[in-house]
Each structure stands twice: as C-alpha cells, then as structure tokens.
Amino acid sequence: MHILKNLRRSLLLLPAILLAGCNTVLMNPSGDIANQQGRLIVVSTVLMLIIIIPVIALTIFFAWRYRQSNKEATYSPDWDHSTQLELAIWAAPLLIIIALGAITWISTHTLDPYQPLRRIDAQRAIPADTKPLVVEVVALDWKWLFIYPEQGIATVNELAAPVDRPIMFKITASSVMNSFFIPALAGQIYAMPGMETKLNAVINKPGEFEGFSANYSGAGFSGMRFKFHGLSHGDFDQWVAKVKTGKEGELTREGYQKLEVPSEREAVRHYASVPADLYDAILNRCVDRNKMCMKQMMAIDADGGLGKPGAFNVATMQTWQPDTLNSPKRKYVTAMCTTEE
C-alpha cells in the first residue's frame, strides 16, 4: 500500500517535472507585438473556459447525481423541456461568442503586421521623428539572408536589432514558400518567391532569441534556424561595425547566386557590403542581369502588352541600361510572327 501511494505521488509530479524544462516564450515574450498576441491568447482561452469548465463539471455532477444506484434522485422519464434551462444554455455561449468576436476583430486590426507601430510598449508611444530599422529578409534553401539597406551590410543566419527601436521587415523567398518566425518578437509571416510580405515589430528587452522557419520547405527545413540579438543602441552599432569587417566582403549578384544554391545548416556569415538593388532584384526574380524583371513584365502588361508580335521577339534597345532608373524600357519589337510560327 505504501508503494502504491509513492507511485501515485510520483505520477502526479511527473507532468510538473516534464514541463519544468519548457520555455513558454509565447506567453512571456520580449517584444510588444508578441506580448499583445500572448494576452489575446490568454483572454480568448479564459472566455472559452467560462463555458467549458461548467459544462465539464455539470457532466460529472449529472452522471454522479443520477446514477442508477442513487434512489434519492428524482426520476422524471417524461421530462423534455425547461425554458429557464434553455435560456441559460443558449444565452451564455452567445454572450461569450459576441465578446470573443469583438476582442479578436479589434485585436486583429490593431496587430496587423503591415501597419506601422503605434507604440514602443504599453507605457510609451513612438516619438514622431523615429525612423524604423529596415531589414530585408530572404528565405533561401535552407538558410536566412538578412540585408540592412541603411547600414549597407548583409548576414546569413544571424539577425540583430536595437532595443526599443521599431523594425520593419520586408520579407520574400528565393524558391518555395517559407515562414519567418521569432516567437519572442511577433507572430509568423509567410515568405513567398516573387512576392513581398511585411512585419512591423519591436524588441523591448536585450537578449538572444530563437528564430526559425515555421513552414516545412524540404530536406533542410529542421536546420533553418537563426539567432536574433536584441542589443542596446551602442552594442548594435558595434555589431554593425563587426559585420563590416566580415571576411566575406561584398555580397554581389554573382555571390548571391552561389549562396542561393540549396545547402543545410550553414554557419553564420557576415558581408561587409551589399548592392542597394540586390533585394529588389531578388524580389523581381532578375538577379541574373540577362533576365527581365517581373516589374518590367508587369509594366509592359499594364501598357497593353505586346499583342501579336509575341514576347519572344522583344529585343534590347541599345540605350537600355538595367541598372539605370530612368533608362528607356526595352519594348522594341523586331518582327511579326505568322500563324505557321
């Protein structure tokens, strides 16, 4: 009997022991956006438990109260309706659904990842002259590329940002769809080739946080992780200076095409400089200078397309310069196709 009591106590303690090693970062994040999302989860769960707990308790009570052996319970085989009971059964869930719907509707629009931040945290608003840190994110197979256009640097599998400064992530992918997720910072945002998604967030505490892909993308998916460093403004400036001394040098278009080749569990890399138009070329699928950019194709379509001549007859104008903003468009048609062609 003594052994059974000890075994029972051990079984009760087992869940606590197993959960002791869990990192509940979603419920205790370091970024204001993730913090608001965590509170929304708690509020929604509590609202749902208001109806779930009584139902479970009453199910157990009725099973015990009206068991066959209980001769004191009232036996009413012809009972089938109670107006008071019907009102209680339907009114309580209806009120909870209305409250839950209102809260989630407001929170969904308030926490829209595309919207610029309105505050640093619950006590501090963002000063009017604050400029967000722009980070261009590219999901590769199977690694992450981060480009800092303001600082003119790029990193692989390492991300850093100053504490209490708004961050605006511009996110795309090189091939398949991925999901950019830093639980301590904000919710996950999908990364898709040829498309750009955005995420506005802020980190409020210094520290090292985990980032990863939350969408399966092939063989190297499990190793597609990176570290996100929340740094003071001074430490962030030092980190930028360190990256600018990186042995990788400049991340050129040719270098990016080599980096784009699928590889697994890549070590952290620092690129001292990066062309200002590299991210735009990645987004528009024209890192290779011999390819027409998607935005140029769409501009031709917006102008009415090429019509009968066909796209294969488009030639490059002699004056067209792909790196010049105001260069003439390459829309010169060399020949007309026939029905046989």
Side-chain angles (χ1 to χ4, degrees):
M1 193 69 179
H2 182 67
I3 296 174
L4 290 175
K5 285 184 178 180
N6 289 337
L7 180 61
R8 192 179 298 113
R9 290 173 184 171
S10 300
L11 291 174
L12 290 173
L13 288 173
L14 184 61
I17 295 171
L18 293 174
L19 291 172
C22 294
N23 182 10
T24 56
V25 64
L26 283 174
M27 297 294 104
N28 187 31
S30 300
D32 184 58
I33 295 296
N35 194 31
Q36 293 181 70
Q37 292 171 337
R39 285 204 305 272
L40 179 60
I41 293 173
V42 172
V43 171
S44 301
T45 303
V46 170
L47 282 173
M48 289 183 286
L49 287 176
I50 289 174
I51 196 66
I52 292 172
I53 290 178
V55 168
I56 294 174
L58 287 172
T59 300
I60 296 172
F61 170 75
F62 289 152
W64 174 258
R65 179 75 175 80
Y66 296 103
R67 67 193 187 278
Q68 185 177 7
S69 60
N70 185 11
K71 304 302 181 182
E72 296 179 0
T74 302
Y75 179 63
S76 303
D78 298 325
W79 180 91
D80 61 0
H81 180 72
S82 169
T83 302
Q84 293 82 3
L85 188 59
E86 289 286 346
L87 287 173
I89 289 173
W90 290 106
L94 182 61
L95 292 173
I96 291 172
I97 290 171
I98 292 171
L100 188 61
I103 291 171
T104 52
W105 173 267
I106 295 169
S107 299
T108 298
H109 288 80
T110 303
L111 300 176
D112 182 355
Y114 281 72
Q115 283 192 7
L117 299 185
R118 301 177 182 177
R119 69 185 203 184
I120 294 174
D121 55 34
Q123 289 76 39
R124 293 174 294 170
I126 296 178
D129 58 344
T130 301
K131 184 180 178 182
L133 173 69
V134 178
V135 181
E136 297 165 341
V137 181
V138 184
L140 302 170
D141 294 333
W142 288 274
K143 47 195 170 284
W144 292 95
L145 172 65
F146 303 106
I147 300 173
Y148 291 76
E150 181 183 340
Q151 291 73 23
I153 59 174
T155 62
V156 171
N157 287 343
E158 185 178 55
L159 178 63
V163 170
D164 292 339
R165 180 178 176 183
I167 315 167
M168 183 175 72
F169 294 101
K170 298 180 179 181
I171 307 167
T172 190
S174 64
S175 57
V176 300
M177 184 171 72
N178 261 290
S179 179
F180 177 71
F181 191 24
I182 305 174
L185 184 67
Q188 63 170 323
I189 300 294
Y190 284 107
M192 293 166 281
M195 301 177 66
E196 180 182 83
T197 51
K198 292 182 180 179
L199 171 64
N200 286 277
V202 62
I203 190 72
N204 300 120
K205 298 178 183 177
E208 183 178 276
F209 309 100
E210 190 77 14
F212 53 89
S213 172
N215 187 78
Y216 182 74
S217 58
F221 162 76
S222 60
M224 200 171 171
R225 295 176 174 267
F226 62 91
K227 296 296 182 183
F228 170 58
H229 304 281
L231 305 172
S232 66
H233 286 264
D235 289 342
F236 178 72
D237 291 339
Q238 292 180 11
W239 179 82
V240 172
K242 176 184 174 184
V243 173
K244 287 187 176 181
T245 62
K247 63 179 182 179
E248 299 292 341
E250 182 183 13
L251 179 59
T252 61
R253 291 192 178 210
E254 292 72 24
Y256 171 80
Q257 288 176 295
K258 294 178 181 178
L259 181 66
E260 192 180 25
V261 176
S263 61
E264 299 182 29
R265 303 187 184 278
E266 284 281 346
V268 172
R269 298 189 197 179
H270 291 165
Y271 293 93
S273 62
V274 58
D277 63 344
L278 179 59
Y279 175 78
D280 184 74
I282 297 170
L283 175 61
N284 284 283
R285 316 291 291 166
C286 56
V287 175
D288 184 346
R289 296 182 186 275
N290 293 320
K291 293 182 178 180
M292 182 183 288
C293 295
M294 283 176 52
K295 62 182 180 181
Q296 294 168 335
M297 297 179 189
M298 289 186 285
I300 293 173
D301 290 339
D303 287 343
L306 294 173
K308 292 182 178 179
F312 69 93
N313 284 320
V314 176
T316 303
M317 296 179 69
Q318 296 298 321
T319 57
W320 183 71
Q321 299 295 327
D323 298 322
T324 303
L325 182 61
N326 296 319
S327 177
K329 298 178 182 178
R330 53 174 178 184
K331 288 180 56 177
Y332 181 72
V333 180
T334 59
M336 296 288 289
C337 61
T338 64
T339 54
E340 289 76 13
E341 294 173 328

